[in-house]
Amino acid sequence: MADILSSLGLGFLVALQPFNLLMAFLGAGMGLVVGAMPGIGSLAGVALLLPLTFKLDPNAGIIMLAALYYANMYGGSFSAILLNIPGDAPAVMTAIDGHKLTKKGKAGKALLTAITASFIGGTIGICILTFLGLGLASVGLHFGPAEMTMIILLALTSIGWILGDNPVKGLVTTGLGLLLATIGVDLSTGAPRYALGIPEIMSGVNFIPLVIGIFGFSQVLLLMRELRIKPSDTPAPKAEKITIKESLLSKQELGEVIPTAAKSGLFGTFIGVLPGAGATMASFIAYLIEKKTNRRRGAEMGQGTLVGVAAPEAGNNAAAVGAFAPLLSLGIPGSGTTAVLMGGLMMWGLRPGPLLFTESPEFTWGLIASMYVGNVMCVIVAILIIPFIIRILYVPKKIIIPVISMICIVGAYSVGNNMFDVALMLAAGILGYYLTLYSYPIAPLLLAFVLAPILEKSMNAAFEISGGDPSIFIYSPIAASFLAVTVLICLVPLFKKLFALRKNTSQE
């Protein structure tokens, strides 16, 4: 412990140097902007910024890139809450409750909840990285294809927690998400599946245009419908009164948000360490866990509640930090963004792994210390811009409709620089419009779409390792434990029915 604190002190000497502070501030500012712009995301942002850091000192360069990465998680919630357009994939779950809070006139509180939860989740992730980074990365190595298969199967089994009031409609959208996820090339045979001969979807349906369309462009269609039914350019009366002071959370609200953020931060950090999991999966699972375990607000999640914003935001920020544990300790990138960061480390002549902490302590601990500083910078900048970004709510619908339309088109086009993604976004928008209009929940569709490819990839890898023997899922203690929980969840409804039937029989 004393050695870690001493090393962390050395790191703060590096991180608090004026130039490194400036780099952290610039990275945090750019991350907030990039995160709020649909279609770009942390991967593209870090990749675009990487060439600009070639001639920088390695400490300054990695501090800027890392700040951009975790600040991106903050920024993604802004457009998700205000416009129902997630800035990046991890903010998808934030949009579900966040935008409903905006419609209730609580946009300021939703934004401040997202910022608070992001800070708590990020801080928990940084603390765990500081004191348990090497050990946690080693634990992540025990999660191979069989273990990942069982984790994702458990998450898919738990999808019933977010099916909504009508389970049949929830199952329909879940099935639709699974069908969309199967489009592309079969990972085991290499044969195309359901691609209809369209080259652009041979590699699968692109997630970002799908999300922008199903969340963002569907809102354009809904707004146009509202104008047709009831033309009105009058902004919401509460929008004009939103200030930082009125956005502050009450003691009761903080009492709900802080425990949720702390719990989701712990789960998110662990998921971030797992190879291939990433912040998107962390936000989904954090939301699911909170909906199941929160006795007071769990049933309200999906209808516009602060804990529905806090859980995914804390989860994705903690996962973004947790991904640095296997990167720095073992040289194993846990996501696409950390793979780009690993390329940057190698570009500077640094080899990630256990020896990095001893061979380059100033670099490693300077990076970790800069996360504490950068996380505080993100909070300060994010809170200060609330009164400015909230002005989006002042804009009349006749103006906001073409503006959101352009944001959706540019965001979809920027993913692959082709018009097919724009067409995909428009089609997803029409789908999202009708799903919303007829009260079909969208969250199960997106959860199934995100998890199904990872499940297929992990399962194929597990069977290749075992030569097709399914016992690989039983002989692994970790996989067997998750399998047992999955079976138990499936049997719980049956046990409840049997118990209720026996109780009614005994009363008669």
Side-chain angles (χ1 to χ4, degrees):
M1 179 69 73
D3 291 340
I4 291 176
L5 292 176
S6 176
S7 299
L8 187 61
L10 172 65
F12 274 109
L13 291 177
V14 175
L16 294 176
Q17 292 177 8
F19 186 70
N20 290 340
L21 280 174
L22 176 62
M23 291 299 100
F25 180 78
L26 290 176
M30 286 186 286
L32 288 170
V33 173
V34 168
M37 297 174 65
I40 298 181
S42 60
L43 176 57
V46 171
L48 291 171
L49 190 62
L50 184 61
L52 302 179
T53 63
F54 282 172
K55 294 185 179 181
L56 289 177
D57 176 77
N59 289 320
I62 195 65
I63 284 173
M64 176 189 280
L65 293 177
L68 187 148
Y69 180 30
Y70 51 78
N72 185 86
M73 303 300 161
Y74 280 80
S77 65
F78 294 166
S79 54
I81 291 170
L82 296 178
L83 301 175
N84 202 29
I85 306 176
D88 58 354
V92 167
M93 300 307 289
T94 307
I96 295 173
D97 284 85
H99 191 63
K100 286 185 174 64
L101 286 167
T102 296
K103 289 183 175 180
K104 294 178 180 179
K106 298 180 180 180
K109 285 187 176 290
L111 288 169
L112 199 59
T113 297
I115 294 167
T116 303
S118 296
F119 175 75
I120 293 172
T123 302
I124 289 173
I126 298 167
C127 291
I128 293 174
L129 175 64
T130 302
F131 297 99
L132 302 173
L134 186 59
L136 197 59
S138 301
V139 170
L141 289 179
H142 293 288
F143 282 77
E147 290 76 16
M148 289 300 297
T149 299
M150 289 298 103
I151 289 178
I152 298 166
L153 189 62
L154 174 61
L156 283 172
T157 304
S158 306
I159 208 168
W161 302 347
I162 56 171
L163 290 183
D165 297 331
N166 191 325
V168 174
K169 290 184 176 181
L171 289 173
V172 168
T173 54
T174 301
L176 184 58
L178 292 171
L179 287 173
L180 289 172
T182 59
I183 296 175
V185 175
D186 190 311
L187 297 176
S188 58
T189 65
R193 297 182 304 194
Y194 317 121
L196 304 176
I198 303 174
E200 288 83 358
I201 57 174
M202 285 294 184
S203 58
V205 176
N206 202 316
F207 182 65
I208 298 300
L210 177 68
V211 169
I212 292 175
I214 211 165
F215 274 104
F217 193 69
S218 66
Q219 289 300 306
V220 172
L221 298 177
L222 289 168
L223 287 173
M224 291 172 66
R225 181 175 182 271
E226 288 178 15
L227 281 180
R228 184 173 63 85
I229 296 174
K230 185 181 179 182
S232 174
D233 291 335
T234 305
K238 291 185 180 180
E240 298 181 3
K241 299 180 181 179
I242 295 175
T243 62
I244 292 179
K245 183 178 180 180
E246 293 196 1
S247 300
L248 295 176
L249 304 178
S250 65
K251 288 184 179 180
Q252 181 182 354
E253 290 167 338
L254 283 173
E256 295 176 354
V257 167
I258 292 176
T260 295
K263 179 169 56 177
S264 299
L266 292 172
F267 282 113
T269 304
F270 174 72
I271 294 169
V273 171
L274 302 180
T280 303
M281 184 174 171
S283 66
F284 275 110
I285 292 181
Y287 189 93
L288 287 171
I289 291 173
E290 188 62 27
K291 185 168 179 64
K292 182 63 177 178
T293 59
N294 192 315
R295 295 181 179 179
R296 290 192 60 192
R297 301 296 183 186
E300 299 175 14
M301 289 176 68
Q303 306 303 317
T305 181
L306 295 179
V307 296
V309 174
E313 282 302 301
N316 65 40
N317 274 267
V321 177
F324 281 91
L327 174 66
L328 297 176
S329 303
L330 304 173
I332 301 173
S335 64
T337 308
T338 50
V340 175
L341 290 173
M342 183 174 176
L345 296 182
M346 299 179 72
M347 175 189 72
W348 289 309
L350 299 165
R351 295 186 62 84
L355 296 179
L356 184 65
F357 283 81
T358 55
E359 293 178 351
S360 305
E362 290 188 3
F363 172 84
T364 309
W365 289 103
L367 169 61
I368 293 174
S370 75
M371 291 181 180
Y372 289 96
V373 178
N375 206 25
V376 174
M377 287 183 176
C378 286
V379 171
I380 294 172
V381 175
I383 291 176
L384 289 177
I385 64 175
I386 284 180
F388 300 99
I389 62 173
I390 212 76
R391 292 182 181 274
I392 294 173
L393 301 178
Y394 291 79
V395 182
K397 290 178 182 178
K398 288 184 179 179
I399 297 177
I400 200 68
I401 286 173
V403 171
I404 295 178
S405 299
M406 287 305 301
I407 292 174
C408 292
I409 292 170
V410 172
Y413 184 82
S414 65
V415 175
N417 295 325
N418 64 74
M419 289 303 296
F420 180 82
D421 286 334
V422 176
L424 174 62
M425 181 273 295
L426 295 175
I430 295 171
L431 173 64
Y433 169 77
Y434 282 107
L435 289 176
T436 305
L437 197 61
Y438 293 101
S439 303
Y440 281 82
I442 293 175
L445 185 155
L446 295 173
L447 181 61
F449 184 84
V450 168
L451 296 182
I454 307 175
L455 174 65
E456 182 182 11
K457 183 178 179 180
S458 300
M459 187 176 291
N460 284 336
F463 280 127
E464 287 178 8
I465 293 171
S466 66
D469 185 359
S471 63
I472 187 173
F473 301 111
I474 300 175
Y475 289 145
S476 166
I478 298 175
S481 300
F482 283 113
L483 178 60
V485 174
T486 302
V487 172
L488 184 62
I489 288 175
C490 293
L491 293 177
V492 164
L494 179 61
F495 289 149
K496 284 184 177 179
K497 287 184 178 180
L498 291 174
F499 179 77
L501 183 62
R502 180 176 293 182
K503 186 177 181 180
N504 291 335
T505 305
S506 63
Q507 288 177 351
E508 292 174 0

